[in-house]
Amino acid sequence: MINISKLYCGLAGQSDNLRYSREDSAGPVVVYNCTSRCNLNCLHCYSYSQRDSQSSELTTAQAKKLIRQLAEADCPVVLFSGGEPLLREDLLELLAEAAQLGLRCVISSNGTLIDSSAAQRLRDASVNYVGISLDGDQTVHDKFRAAKGSFKAAVEGIENCKKAGLKTGLRFTITKTNSNQVRFIFDIAASTGVRRICFYHLVRTGRAQEMENQALNPDQIRHLIDTIIEKTDDFVKRGYLDEVLTVGNHADGPYLLVRMKQENNHLYDKAKELLLLNGGNRTGEKIGCVSWDGSVHPDQFWRNYSLGNIRDKPFSQIWENSAEPVLHKLRNKTRFGDKRCLKCRWFELCKGNFRFLNNHPEDEHWLNEPACYLKDEEITKSQD
């Protein structure tokens, strides 16, 4: 995650202690896709979620065992996602288990099932944060979600979370089709009192593989990131937002620094220091994922490859297996990174978006996904 409001505007963020700490002892933030079921059919769903129940989902007892293992692994945050996590009947029971163990829990939801009662129950379950996805205005959102009325229901979910006193944020996945909706997302955040926005770059996994030519080209990405930076600066100065982040493309960090250098932004040196502290892409190191069937993945967008299953081995044994070939590469990027990345002046604070999209971990299948959009002259090694 690249915290635009922190790096560019100097505004403290709620997760700064995790993102910029000099301590490296904590375990990974884990996304637990607790169910594959979803009441919507989103075009860009990374998990290929379906309406029907999956018998392969962990039972309540197995899910509680996983949560205990995550606590033992010193995971600072568990993000309950899906599918739609509110479709899991024992969600509140699992949240209670996590809270009892001192885990910080957040929810990623489409918002349509969060009525006032559900919002209060999430609040009572000590949920720290709810992120609700929007793809744009009503017409765009309902088309992406393949469900008329889903925009209105999501906004009602946001309002119910706010009324219940839950910290609430917006999640927006960037595609060619909805890239013109960024300004709308800022406006609706302000109108609903939401103070945090996460902009996700599209990763071509799950149903997103079926979206033809939806990845932006480099010029389009640069224009979009510029828009996010400018809107963030404006809305922070006006007191409308606390935190704006981009997620999924670590080239955003170097691109932000290049812009700040050109503008003589007085926060440039501090921003560079913080990005170095963050260490760039920590997929398979400080971020992991457990699927509904117990499979462990390097992150939530990488379910094409399993590191192991918690039904067979405890999470820590899987996560700490230095002999696992994919984890070995991810944790030794200075040896195995993309060739262009290894020559880049920003490598230590970016580490690229190294992954493979099929099921084969051989060297020839690894690539930057999403692609780097920096120009050659911007990555040439030189002294600041």
Side-chain angles (χ1 to χ4, degrees), residues 33-54 57 81-85 87 108 110 145 205-208 210 291-292 300 303:
N33 293 104
C34 62
T35 181
S36 64
R37 288 168 287 166
C38 189
N39 58 318
L40 303 180
N41 191 35
C42 306
L43 297 176
H44 48 21
C45 177
Y46 68 77
S47 66
Y48 243 128
S49 294
Q50 306 289 332
R51 290 180 180 272
D52 297 331
S53 176
Q54 295 289 320
E57 289 179 6
S81 186
E84 171 50 52
L87 284 174
S108 177
N110 62 43
R145 303 278 152 169
T205 57
R207 259 196 302 276
E210 301 172 5
S291 193
W292 49 82
Q300 68 268 42
R303 59 195 61 257

Side-chain angles (χ1 to χ4, degrees), residues 201-253:
H201 290 264
L202 183 70
V203 180
R204 293 173 295 163
T205 57
R207 259 196 302 276
Q209 296 176 77
E210 301 172 5
M211 297 182 71
E212 225 175 297
N213 301 318
Q214 283 297 312
L216 278 66
N217 66 39
D219 287 340
Q220 291 169 329
I221 297 174
R222 296 166 76 92
H223 175 73
L224 184 140
I225 298 300
D226 283 338
T227 299
I228 291 173
I229 292 169
E230 290 156 14
K231 293 296 289 183
T232 299
D233 189 43
D234 177 33
F235 275 50
V236 165
K237 286 176 178 175
R238 293 160 66 186
Y240 291 158
L241 287 170
D242 295 329
E243 200 166 29
V244 177
L245 306 103
T246 65
V247 186
N249 194 331
H250 292 81
D252 292 348

Side-chain angles (χ1 to χ4, degrees), residues 282-289 296-299 302 305-308 315-333 336 356 361 366:
R282 306 297 294 277
T283 292
E285 296 181 83
K286 289 299 182 182
I287 176 87
C289 173
V296 179
H297 306 283
D299 70 16
W302 209 329
Y305 183 87
S306 176
L307 304 168
F315 176 82
S316 290
Q317 284 188 25
I318 296 170
W319 197 251
E320 294 168 7
N321 180 11
S322 58
E324 208 296 317
V326 170
L327 286 182
H328 181 65
K329 282 191 176 183
L330 291 174
R331 295 172 184 179
N332 292 277
K333 292 190 184 75
F336 299 107
F356 53 92
W366 289 74

